[in-house]
Structures are given as C-alpha cells and as structure tokens.
Amino acid sequence: MYLEKADLETDPRFRQAIPYVVVTSDGMTLSYQRKGSEDRLHAFRSIGIGGHVEEPETVEHGMLRELREEIGIVVDIERIKWHGFILLSETEVDKVHMGVVYSYDVGDQELHFGEEIRDPQWIDMLGDRYEPWSIEAWKMINGQA
C-alpha cells in the first residue's frame, strides 16, 4: 500500500521508516545543525544523516542516497553497521516516524556537505540541545541502550 507523504506526516496510525546514519571518523562523531525541510527539528543538533525514503526506494537505497546528497560520499556497503530501531512517541515528529539506525566510519574520506547541513563539527560526546533520536542513537552505538 502506498500513501502520500503529506498524509503520513500528520497521521500517527502510520510510521515512516527513516534511515538514520551516525557518521564517525577516528573515534569522533559528526554533529550538525539541521537546516532541512523539517521545521520541527531546527532548534536541535543532530548526529544522524538521513531522511525520507522515496517511492520506490528501499530503506537501504534511501540511506545511500541521503549519504551521497548530505555529505557527498559513496559508501562501501560492507562497512555499514546496523544498530536497531528508534521508536519514540514524545514529539509530533516521533509519532509519525521510525528511525532505522546505522553507523558508518568514513575514515579519511573528504566530506562535501549538502545544503541541509549547517555548522558541522566532530564531537566525542553529546552536549545540550540534541534531538531525541540523536540521544537514542548515541546510546545504541556506544552500548548504553
């Protein structure tokens, strides 16, 4: 069954699967300020690269496309690690989305940031003002979940 994205964004009976990739390099994690179309998240920093899966993509294909668009890399799929799912109901965004959490170590690849990434930084711990999904993904990836 295919439903229009606009309808899915406000109907909590359905959840969209969103690939959410935590990008690492040399023990550090990429963090950034959101600029994208999801106004409900602009006040928060994020450690996850991802976004909506487009028809007829799979979650995996959506993940690869988002990494290409947002940080300008081609991924070695063998190095992607799957960590689990984020299923929260705290915010309006949470109620209509489900995170599929991965991590990817970019090594020494040069990143080319897309228009939705502002103020990229490499961090070794979360500070204040991170979106709930970032907090959950951090726990998963660092064995705290």
Side-chain angles (χ1 to χ4, degrees), residues 49-115:
I49 301 291
H52 290 93
V53 175
E54 298 173 359
E55 180 72 21
E57 289 179 323
T58 63
V59 171
E60 183 178 90
H61 285 109
M63 171 189 59
L64 297 173
R65 177 184 46 75
E66 288 287 340
L67 288 168
R68 214 174 29 252
E69 290 173 359
E70 300 308 328
I71 62 173
I73 63 169
V74 176
V75 173
D76 175 358
I77 196 71
E78 299 295 320
R79 292 180 31 221
I80 290 278
K81 293 180 184 173
W82 177 76
H83 294 276
F85 299 102
I86 296 174
L87 192 60
L88 301 176
S89 296
E90 297 169 13
T91 68
E92 295 305 309
V93 176
D94 290 338
K95 292 175 184 175
V96 294
H97 297 93
M98 173 185 73
V100 184
V101 181
Y102 302 90
S103 65
Y104 184 70
D105 189 325
V106 296
D108 60 359
Q109 289 184 66
E110 185 176 341
L111 306 183
H112 303 278
F113 298 105
E115 60 187 39

Side-chain angles (χ1 to χ4, degrees), residues 1-143:
M1 170 171 56
Y2 177 77
L3 300 170
E4 293 295 327
K5 178 182 169 190
D7 296 331
L8 293 171
E9 285 297 315
T10 57
D11 190 340
R13 294 177 302 160
F14 305 99
R15 291 198 187 228
Q16 298 172 76
I18 305 292
Y20 194 82
V21 184
V22 176
V23 175
T24 63
S25 178
D26 197 27
M28 302 293 278
T29 299
L30 179 65
S31 166
Y32 67 96
Q33 181 76 32
R34 287 192 178 276
K35 184 184 174 191
S37 60
E38 185 50 82
D39 293 338
R40 298 173 287 189
L41 296 175
H42 283 183
F44 298 102
R45 290 194 66 82
S46 180
I47 62 168
I49 301 291
H52 290 93
V53 175
E54 298 173 359
E55 180 72 21
E57 289 179 323
T58 63
V59 171
E60 183 178 90
H61 285 109
M63 171 189 59
L64 297 173
R65 177 184 46 75
E66 288 287 340
L67 288 168
R68 214 174 29 252
E69 290 173 359
E70 300 308 328
I71 62 173
I73 63 169
V74 176
V75 173
D76 175 358
I77 196 71
E78 299 295 320
R79 292 180 31 221
I80 290 278
K81 293 180 184 173
W82 177 76
H83 294 276
F85 299 102
I86 296 174
L87 192 60
L88 301 176
S89 296
E90 297 169 13
T91 68
E92 295 305 309
V93 176
D94 290 338
K95 292 175 184 175
V96 294
H97 297 93
M98 173 185 73
V100 184
V101 181
Y102 302 90
S103 65
Y104 184 70
D105 189 325
V106 296
D108 60 359
Q109 289 184 66
E110 185 176 341
L111 306 183
H112 303 278
F113 298 105
E115 60 187 39
E116 297 198 12
I117 305 290
R118 289 191 333 211
D119 189 28
Q121 301 173 13
W122 292 99
I123 63 169
D124 60 2
M125 61 183 285
L126 290 185
D128 294 336
R129 302 298 299 161
Y130 278 84
E131 63 191 12
W133 280 23
S134 289
I135 295 166
E136 293 302 312
W138 183 271
K139 290 176 188 175
M140 278 183 199
I141 290 167
N142 291 291

